[in-house]
């Protein structure tokens, strides 16, 4: 589906944002691309979408070189950027002018998602609130039914009820032949949605594992539950201490995404050593 091989990219000569970065992604998964602000998440996504071009290395997306921007590539990719610039036409007008570029676009699906988001289709897009604009583009991206859907910080501008709707709608849209990539620095927004975690930090992919792989190798516990266990990371909060321990006895615990992310970017070697065994 997506193969990134030894990617080197930077906006300024001699100052690479990525250097020899490699990554492999498959269809049938919802990937969460996590990283701090400025980690390069948006830039990596733009490389995948062919909006910027690598200085070195190779990118293969659905058998295409993204930088060539061929129609056969673009018709199977929908990219929702963090910042939106909406045209001064109605939502229905946007669909009429744009949907034909996507052979699998489903108008009924689009209208149903708009209804769930409570966005009127007769409104001028440029006059909608930022959150409503995001909902329109999320609905359009899902209804395009492209094999690759990329969303950069899609929950920015959404209120809490809308984030719940977002998780529900995205989860229902995944198929075996579709790959969805969602980048965010708001880690909890992806709870119970993604099945694969990618952590980008300081020019490196520090983690690319499924939640099943993570829960097989790690236990997420309170401090009282962690007594006698091999604790590799601990973090205090207002009600106590949360810990990550090595899962030596095939126990199950729910992956705490925020705790995992903090552990990876603060002290990744003990965790990555366990996860890569």
């Amino acid at each position: 589906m997506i193969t990134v091989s030894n990617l080197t990219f930077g906006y300024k000569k001699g100052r690479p944002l990525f250097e020899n970065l490699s990554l492999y992604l498959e269809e049938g998964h919802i990937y969460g691309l996590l990283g701090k602000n400025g980690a390069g998440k948006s830039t990596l996504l733009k490389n995948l979408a062919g909006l910027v071009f690598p200085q070195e290395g190779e990118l293969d997306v659905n058998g295409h070189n993204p930088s060539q921007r061929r129609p056969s590539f673009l018709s199977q990719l929908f990219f929702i950027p963090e910042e939106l610039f909406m045209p001064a036409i109605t939502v229905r007008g946007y669909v009429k002018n744009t949907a034909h570029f996507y052979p699998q676009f489903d108008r009924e699906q689009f209208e149903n998602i708009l209804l769930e988001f409570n966005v009127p289709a007769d409104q001028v897009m440029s006059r909608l609130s930022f959150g409503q604009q995001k909902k329109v583009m999320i609905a359009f991206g899902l209804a395009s039914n492209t094999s690759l859907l990329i969303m950069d910080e899609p929950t920015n501008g959404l209120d809490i009820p809308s984030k719940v709707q977002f998780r529900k709608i995205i989860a229902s849209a995944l198929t075996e032949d579709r790959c969805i990539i969602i980048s965010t620095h708001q880690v909890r927004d992806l709870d119970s949605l993604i099945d694969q975690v990618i952590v980008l930090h300081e020019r490196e992919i520090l983690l690319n594992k499924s939640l099943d792989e993570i829960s097989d190798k790690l236990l997420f516990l309170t401090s009282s539950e962690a007594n006698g266990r091999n604790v590799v990371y601990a973090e205090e909060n207002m009600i106590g201490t949360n810990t990550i321990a090595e899962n030596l006895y095939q126990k199950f615990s729910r992956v705490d995404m925020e705790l995992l992310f903090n552990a990876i970017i603060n002290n990744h070697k003990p965790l990555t050593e366990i996860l890569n065994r």
Side-chain angles (χ1 to χ4, degrees), residues 116-117 131-132 135 154-169 186 188-192:
E116 284 198 60
F117 275 144
Q132 296 288 78
K135 291 176 184 179
T155 57
N156 280 2
L158 299 186
D159 56 25
I160 292 175
S162 296
K163 289 180 180 181
V164 174
Q165 286 177 311
F166 169 79
R167 287 192 288 267
K168 175 185 172 184
I169 291 168
Q186 299 177 22
R188 291 204 179 276
D189 285 352
L190 300 188
D191 266 357
S192 71

Side-chain angles (χ1 to χ4, degrees), residues 40-54:
K41 302 185 300 299
S42 296
T43 301
L44 177 58
L45 297 181
K46 287 176 181 178
N47 271 273
L48 297 179
L51 297 173
V52 297
F53 310 141

Side-chain angles (χ1 to χ4, degrees), residues 31-136:
Y31 290 90
L33 176 60
L34 311 181
K36 290 182 175 181
N37 281 335
K41 302 185 300 299
S42 296
T43 301
L44 177 58
L45 297 181
K46 287 176 181 178
N47 271 273
L48 297 179
L51 297 173
V52 297
F53 310 141
Q55 295 162 347
E56 295 180 22
E58 295 182 359
L59 290 170
D60 183 296
V61 178
N62 274 335
H64 295 275
N65 179 348
S67 64
Q68 295 177 350
R69 303 280 291 171
R70 296 184 184 278
S72 54
F73 166 73
L74 295 173
S75 67
Q76 288 300 321
L77 162 73
F78 197 83
F79 176 71
I80 303 174
E82 180 177 5
E83 299 296 330
L84 299 175
F85 301 93
M86 309 300 275
I89 59 175
T90 64
V91 175
R92 286 196 180 96
Y94 179 81
V95 171
K96 181 179 178 180
N97 293 338
T98 311
H100 60 274
F101 291 111
Y102 302 95
Q104 287 85 38
F105 187 85
D106 186 330
R107 188 181 296 268
E108 183 179 355
Q109 182 185 8
F110 174 74
E111 291 175 354
N112 287 338
I113 296 172
L114 278 190
L115 282 174
E116 284 198 60
F117 275 144
N118 196 28
V119 179
D122 58 351
Q123 292 294 306
V124 175
M125 294 175 69
S126 59
R127 296 177 185 170
L128 294 171
S129 69
F130 181 63
Q132 296 288 78
Q133 290 176 354
K134 274 284 177 82
K135 291 176 184 179
V136 171

Side-chain angles (χ1 to χ4, degrees), residues 223-239:
S223 55
S224 60
E225 295 170 325
N227 289 336
R229 298 187 185 275
N230 180 22
V231 172
V232 291
Y233 183 78
E235 185 177 287
E236 293 186 8
N237 57 40
M238 295 180 64
I239 59 173

Side-chain angles (χ1 to χ4, degrees), residues 2-19:
I2 297 175
T3 303
V4 180
S5 302
N6 301 314
L7 171 67
T8 297
F9 176 87
Y11 290 105
K12 293 183 179 180
K13 189 175 181 180
R15 297 179 61 183
L17 187 57
F18 308 122
E19 200 163 14

Side-chain angles (χ1 to χ4, degrees), residues 209-218 220 255 260 275:
K209 298 285 184 184
S210 71
L211 291 185
D212 287 342
E213 290 177 291
I214 293 168
S215 62
D216 280 346
K217 298 290 183 69
L218 299 174
F220 296 79
V255 175
L260 174 68
L275 290 169

